PDB file of all heavy atoms in Angstrom:
ATOM      1  N   CYS A 253    -117.643 -52.076 145.394  1.00  0.00           N
ATOM      2  CA  CYS A 253    -116.893 -51.585 144.235  1.00  0.00           C
ATOM      3  C   CYS A 253    -116.851 -50.060 144.209  1.00  0.00           C
ATOM      4  O   CYS A 253    -115.806 -49.466 143.936  1.00  0.00           O
ATOM      5  CB  CYS A 253    -117.518 -52.115 142.963  1.00  0.00           C
ATOM      6  SG  CYS A 253    -116.595 -51.700 141.484  1.00  0.00           S
ATOM      7  N   PHE A 254    -118.004 -49.436 144.494  1.00  0.00           N
ATOM      8  CA  PHE A 254    -118.060 -47.975 144.414  1.00  0.00           C
ATOM      9  C   PHE A 254    -117.572 -47.299 145.703  1.00  0.00           C
ATOM     10  O   PHE A 254    -117.434 -46.080 145.752  1.00  0.00           O
ATOM     11  CB  PHE A 254    -119.497 -47.478 144.138  1.00  0.00           C
ATOM     12  CG  PHE A 254    -120.137 -48.098 142.922  1.00  0.00           C
ATOM     13  CD1 PHE A 254    -121.518 -48.200 142.812  1.00  0.00           C
ATOM     14  CD2 PHE A 254    -119.356 -48.572 141.874  1.00  0.00           C
ATOM     15  CE1 PHE A 254    -122.107 -48.768 141.689  1.00  0.00           C
ATOM     16  CE2 PHE A 254    -119.948 -49.145 140.745  1.00  0.00           C
ATOM     17  CZ  PHE A 254    -121.319 -49.250 140.670  1.00  0.00           C
ATOM     18  N   GLY A 255    -117.384 -48.113 146.757  1.00  0.00           N
ATOM     19  CA  GLY A 255    -116.968 -47.555 148.029  1.00  0.00           C
ATOM     20  C   GLY A 255    -118.053 -46.708 148.674  1.00  0.00           C
ATOM     21  O   GLY A 255    -117.772 -45.679 149.284  1.00  0.00           O
ATOM     22  N   THR A 256    -119.307 -47.140 148.535  1.00  0.00           N
ATOM     23  CA  THR A 256    -120.419 -46.389 149.125  1.00  0.00           C
ATOM     24  C   THR A 256    -121.194 -47.285 150.083  1.00  0.00           C
ATOM     25  O   THR A 256    -121.058 -48.505 150.051  1.00  0.00           O
ATOM     26  CB  THR A 256    -121.397 -45.885 148.050  1.00  0.00           C
ATOM     27  OG1 THR A 256    -121.822 -47.014 147.263  1.00  0.00           O
ATOM     28  CG2 THR A 256    -120.749 -44.862 147.140  1.00  0.00           C
ATOM     29  N   GLU A 257    -122.014 -46.656 150.927  1.00  0.00           N
ATOM     30  CA  GLU A 257    -122.837 -47.403 151.876  1.00  0.00           C
ATOM     31  C   GLU A 257    -124.099 -47.921 151.201  1.00  0.00           C
ATOM     32  O   GLU A 257    -124.574 -49.017 151.472  1.00  0.00           O
ATOM     33  CB  GLU A 257    -123.251 -46.492 153.039  1.00  0.00           C
ATOM     34  CG  GLU A 257    -122.112 -46.132 153.979  1.00  0.00           C
ATOM     35  CD  GLU A 257    -121.698 -47.316 154.833  1.00  0.00           C
ATOM     36  OE1 GLU A 257    -122.586 -47.997 155.375  1.00  0.00           O
ATOM     37  OE2 GLU A 257    -120.479 -47.564 154.928  1.00  0.00           O
ATOM     38  N   THR A 258    -124.680 -47.069 150.359  1.00  0.00           N
ATOM     39  CA  THR A 258    -125.910 -47.462 149.662  1.00  0.00           C
ATOM     40  C   THR A 258    -125.757 -47.102 148.179  1.00  0.00           C
ATOM     41  O   THR A 258    -124.754 -46.535 147.769  1.00  0.00           O
ATOM     42  CB  THR A 258    -127.132 -46.680 150.187  1.00  0.00           C
ATOM     43  OG1 THR A 258    -126.998 -45.320 149.753  1.00  0.00           O
ATOM     44  CG2 THR A 258    -127.245 -46.732 151.684  1.00  0.00           C
ATOM     45  N   LEU A 259    -126.814 -47.450 147.441  1.00  0.00           N
ATOM     46  CA  LEU A 259    -126.766 -47.145 146.010  1.00  0.00           C
ATOM     47  C   LEU A 259    -127.738 -46.028 145.657  1.00  0.00           C
ATOM     48  O   LEU A 259    -128.076 -45.825 144.496  1.00  0.00           O
ATOM     49  CB  LEU A 259    -127.082 -48.409 145.205  1.00  0.00           C
ATOM     50  CG  LEU A 259    -126.097 -49.562 145.429  1.00  0.00           C
ATOM     51  CD1 LEU A 259    -126.597 -50.829 144.772  1.00  0.00           C
ATOM     52  CD2 LEU A 259    -124.714 -49.203 144.882  1.00  0.00           C
ATOM     53  N   LYS A 260    -128.189 -45.332 146.701  1.00  0.00           N
ATOM     54  CA  LYS A 260    -129.206 -44.295 146.492  1.00  0.00           C
ATOM     55  C   LYS A 260    -128.760 -43.251 145.472  1.00  0.00           C
ATOM     56  O   LYS A 260    -129.529 -42.833 144.623  1.00  0.00           O
ATOM     57  CB  LYS A 260    -129.503 -43.596 147.824  1.00  0.00           C
ATOM     58  CG  LYS A 260    -130.689 -44.188 148.548  1.00  0.00           C
ATOM     59  CD  LYS A 260    -131.195 -43.233 149.623  1.00  0.00           C
ATOM     60  CE  LYS A 260    -131.869 -44.018 150.730  1.00  0.00           C
ATOM     61  NZ  LYS A 260    -131.222 -43.867 152.025  1.00  0.00           N
ATOM     62  N   SER A 261    -127.505 -42.828 145.588  1.00  0.00           N
ATOM     63  CA  SER A 261    -127.058 -41.756 144.702  1.00  0.00           C
ATOM     64  C   SER A 261    -127.023 -42.204 143.245  1.00  0.00           C
ATOM     65  O   SER A 261    -126.891 -41.388 142.336  1.00  0.00           O
ATOM     66  CB  SER A 261    -125.688 -41.258 145.123  1.00  0.00           C
ATOM     67  OG  SER A 261    -124.789 -42.328 145.111  1.00  0.00           O
ATOM     68  N   PHE A 262    -127.126 -43.520 143.015  1.00  0.00           N
ATOM     69  CA  PHE A 262    -127.167 -44.004 141.636  1.00  0.00           C
ATOM     70  C   PHE A 262    -128.596 -44.321 141.206  1.00  0.00           C
ATOM     71  O   PHE A 262    -128.818 -44.965 140.179  1.00  0.00           O
ATOM     72  CB  PHE A 262    -126.292 -45.244 141.481  1.00  0.00           C
ATOM     73  CG  PHE A 262    -124.867 -45.016 141.901  1.00  0.00           C
ATOM     74  CD1 PHE A 262    -124.385 -45.533 143.097  1.00  0.00           C
ATOM     75  CD2 PHE A 262    -124.020 -44.267 141.103  1.00  0.00           C
ATOM     76  CE1 PHE A 262    -123.072 -45.316 143.486  1.00  0.00           C
ATOM     77  CE2 PHE A 262    -122.707 -44.040 141.490  1.00  0.00           C
ATOM     78  CZ  PHE A 262    -122.236 -44.557 142.688  1.00  0.00           C
ATOM     79  N   ALA A 263    -129.563 -43.900 142.034  1.00  0.00           N
ATOM     80  CA  ALA A 263    -130.985 -44.150 141.764  1.00  0.00           C
ATOM     81  C   ALA A 263    -131.293 -45.636 141.685  1.00  0.00           C
ATOM     82  O   ALA A 263    -132.103 -46.090 140.878  1.00  0.00           O
ATOM     83  CB  ALA A 263    -131.422 -43.438 140.485  1.00  0.00           C
ATOM     84  N   ILE A 264    -130.620 -46.408 142.547  1.00  0.00           N
ATOM     85  CA  ILE A 264    -130.892 -47.850 142.592  1.00  0.00           C
ATOM     86  C   ILE A 264    -131.374 -48.213 143.990  1.00  0.00           C
ATOM     87  O   ILE A 264    -130.766 -47.804 144.983  1.00  0.00           O
ATOM     88  CB  ILE A 264    -129.620 -48.661 142.258  1.00  0.00           C
ATOM     89  CG1 ILE A 264    -129.238 -48.454 140.796  1.00  0.00           C
ATOM     90  CG2 ILE A 264    -129.826 -50.138 142.534  1.00  0.00           C
ATOM     91  CD1 ILE A 264    -128.025 -49.239 140.361  1.00  0.00           C
ATOM     92  N   THR A 265    -132.474 -48.962 144.061  1.00  0.00           N
ATOM     93  CA  THR A 265    -132.948 -49.466 145.346  1.00  0.00           C
ATOM     94  C   THR A 265    -132.880 -50.992 145.309  1.00  0.00           C
ATOM     95  O   THR A 265    -132.567 -51.576 144.273  1.00  0.00           O
ATOM     96  CB  THR A 265    -134.416 -49.067 145.598  1.00  0.00           C
ATOM     97  OG1 THR A 265    -135.228 -49.767 144.644  1.00  0.00           O
ATOM     98  CG2 THR A 265    -134.617 -47.570 145.427  1.00  0.00           C
ATOM     99  N   ALA A 266    -133.203 -51.604 146.443  1.00  0.00           N
ATOM    100  CA  ALA A 266    -133.142 -53.066 146.525  1.00  0.00           C
ATOM    101  C   ALA A 266    -134.101 -53.712 145.528  1.00  0.00           C
ATOM    102  O   ALA A 266    -133.909 -54.857 145.127  1.00  0.00           O
ATOM    103  CB  ALA A 266    -133.462 -53.517 147.941  1.00  0.00           C
ATOM    104  N   ALA A 267    -135.142 -52.973 145.131  1.00  0.00           N
ATOM    105  CA  ALA A 267    -136.138 -53.562 144.227  1.00  0.00           C
ATOM    106  C   ALA A 267    -135.877 -53.230 142.761  1.00  0.00           C
ATOM    107  O   ALA A 267    -136.594 -53.678 141.881  1.00  0.00           O
ATOM    108  CB  ALA A 267    -137.524 -53.063 144.617  1.00  0.00           C
ATOM    109  N   SER A 268    -134.830 -52.436 142.493  1.00  0.00           N
ATOM    110  CA  SER A 268    -134.586 -52.029 141.101  1.00  0.00           C
ATOM    111  C   SER A 268    -134.275 -53.241 140.217  1.00  0.00           C
ATOM    112  O   SER A 268    -133.428 -54.058 140.577  1.00  0.00           O
ATOM    113  CB  SER A 268    -133.392 -51.075 141.025  1.00  0.00           C
ATOM    114  OG  SER A 268    -133.657 -49.900 141.723  1.00  0.00           O
ATOM    115  N   PRO A 269    -134.938 -53.324 139.080  1.00  0.00           N
ATOM    116  CA  PRO A 269    -134.656 -54.450 138.174  1.00  0.00           C
ATOM    117  C   PRO A 269    -133.214 -54.429 137.683  1.00  0.00           C
ATOM    118  O   PRO A 269    -132.665 -55.455 137.297  1.00  0.00           O
ATOM    119  CB  PRO A 269    -135.608 -54.208 136.995  1.00  0.00           C
ATOM    120  CG  PRO A 269    -136.584 -53.167 137.428  1.00  0.00           C
ATOM    121  CD  PRO A 269    -135.968 -52.408 138.552  1.00  0.00           C
ATOM    122  N   GLU A 270    -132.573 -53.248 137.708  1.00  0.00           N
ATOM    123  CA  GLU A 270    -131.201 -53.127 137.197  1.00  0.00           C
ATOM    124  C   GLU A 270    -130.178 -53.750 138.144  1.00  0.00           C
ATOM    125  O   GLU A 270    -129.065 -54.079 137.726  1.00  0.00           O
ATOM    126  CB  GLU A 270    -130.815 -51.645 137.024  1.00  0.00           C
ATOM    127  CG  GLU A 270    -131.571 -50.909 135.943  1.00  0.00           C
ATOM    128  CD  GLU A 270    -132.836 -50.233 136.466  1.00  0.00           C
ATOM    129  OE1 GLU A 270    -133.211 -50.515 137.634  1.00  0.00           O
ATOM    130  OE2 GLU A 270    -133.439 -49.449 135.728  1.00  0.00           O
ATOM    131  N   LEU A 271    -130.566 -53.872 139.429  1.00  0.00           N
ATOM    132  CA  LEU A 271    -129.587 -54.268 140.439  1.00  0.00           C
ATOM    133  C   LEU A 271    -128.973 -55.661 140.206  1.00  0.00           C
ATOM    134  O   LEU A 271    -127.740 -55.782 140.137  1.00  0.00           O
ATOM    135  CB  LEU A 271    -130.226 -54.151 141.831  1.00  0.00           C
ATOM    136  CG  LEU A 271    -129.372 -54.516 143.040  1.00  0.00           C
ATOM    137  CD1 LEU A 271    -128.118 -53.674 143.113  1.00  0.00           C
ATOM    138  CD2 LEU A 271    -130.175 -54.370 144.322  1.00  0.00           C
ATOM    139  N   PRO A 272    -129.807 -56.726 140.076  1.00  0.00           N
ATOM    140  CA  PRO A 272    -129.196 -58.060 139.943  1.00  0.00           C
ATOM    141  C   PRO A 272    -128.266 -58.216 138.735  1.00  0.00           C
ATOM    142  O   PRO A 272    -127.144 -58.702 138.898  1.00  0.00           O
ATOM    143  CB  PRO A 272    -130.408 -58.997 139.861  1.00  0.00           C
ATOM    144  CG  PRO A 272    -131.522 -58.230 140.495  1.00  0.00           C
ATOM    145  CD  PRO A 272    -131.276 -56.795 140.168  1.00  0.00           C
ATOM    146  N   PRO A 273    -128.667 -57.790 137.535  1.00  0.00           N
ATOM    147  CA  PRO A 273    -127.724 -57.974 136.421  1.00  0.00           C
ATOM    148  C   PRO A 273    -126.449 -57.147 136.600  1.00  0.00           C
ATOM    149  O   PRO A 273    -125.365 -57.610 136.239  1.00  0.00           O
ATOM    150  CB  PRO A 273    -128.511 -57.527 135.183  1.00  0.00           C
ATOM    151  CG  PRO A 273    -129.648 -56.723 135.682  1.00  0.00           C
ATOM    152  CD  PRO A 273    -129.951 -57.227 137.056  1.00  0.00           C
ATOM    153  N   ALA A 274    -126.575 -55.953 137.173  1.00  0.00           N
ATOM    154  CA  ALA A 274    -125.384 -55.122 137.382  1.00  0.00           C
ATOM    155  C   ALA A 274    -124.427 -55.821 138.343  1.00  0.00           C
ATOM    156  O   ALA A 274    -123.214 -55.858 138.120  1.00  0.00           O
ATOM    157  CB  ALA A 274    -125.780 -53.752 137.915  1.00  0.00           C
ATOM    158  N   GLY A 275    -124.982 -56.398 139.425  1.00  0.00           N
ATOM    159  CA  GLY A 275    -124.143 -57.095 140.402  1.00  0.00           C
ATOM    160  C   GLY A 275    -123.449 -58.298 139.788  1.00  0.00           C
ATOM    161  O   GLY A 275    -122.272 -58.544 140.035  1.00  0.00           O
ATOM    162  N   LEU A 276    -124.191 -59.040 138.966  1.00  0.00           N
ATOM    163  CA  LEU A 276    -123.595 -60.230 138.363  1.00  0.00           C
ATOM    164  C   LEU A 276    -122.416 -59.868 137.452  1.00  0.00           C
ATOM    165  O   LEU A 276    -121.431 -60.604 137.376  1.00  0.00           O
ATOM    166  CB  LEU A 276    -124.650 -61.028 137.587  1.00  0.00           C
ATOM    167  CG  LEU A 276    -124.130 -62.358 137.040  1.00  0.00           C
ATOM    168  CD1 LEU A 276    -123.754 -63.302 138.167  1.00  0.00           C
ATOM    169  CD2 LEU A 276    -125.129 -63.022 136.120  1.00  0.00           C
ATOM    170  N   LEU A 277    -122.511 -58.741 136.798  1.00  0.00           N
ATOM    171  CA  LEU A 277    -121.411 -58.328 135.921  1.00  0.00           C
ATOM    172  C   LEU A 277    -120.110 -58.227 136.713  1.00  0.00           C
ATOM    173  O   LEU A 277    -119.066 -58.710 136.285  1.00  0.00           O
ATOM    174  CB  LEU A 277    -121.719 -56.975 135.265  1.00  0.00           C
ATOM    175  CG  LEU A 277    -122.777 -56.968 134.174  1.00  0.00           C
ATOM    176  CD1 LEU A 277    -123.011 -55.550 133.672  1.00  0.00           C
ATOM    177  CD2 LEU A 277    -122.370 -57.861 133.016  1.00  0.00           C
ATOM    178  N   LEU A 278    -120.198 -57.601 137.900  1.00  0.00           N
ATOM    179  CA  LEU A 278    -118.981 -57.444 138.708  1.00  0.00           C
ATOM    180  C   LEU A 278    -118.478 -58.794 139.202  1.00  0.00           C
ATOM    181  O   LEU A 278    -117.274 -59.062 139.205  1.00  0.00           O
ATOM    182  CB  LEU A 278    -119.239 -56.506 139.883  1.00  0.00           C
ATOM    183  CG  LEU A 278    -119.529 -55.046 139.542  1.00  0.00           C
ATOM    184  CD1 LEU A 278    -119.610 -54.208 140.807  1.00  0.00           C
ATOM    185  CD2 LEU A 278    -118.457 -54.483 138.613  1.00  0.00           C
TER     186      LEU A 278
END
Side-chain angles (χ1 to χ4, degrees):
C253 185
F254 306 154
T256 54
E257 289 288 314
T258 70
L259 299 171
K260 265 197 207 118
S261 58
F262 304 106
I264 292 182
T265 67
S268 297
E270 293 91 350
L271 180 58
L276 186 65
L277 287 177
L278 294 186

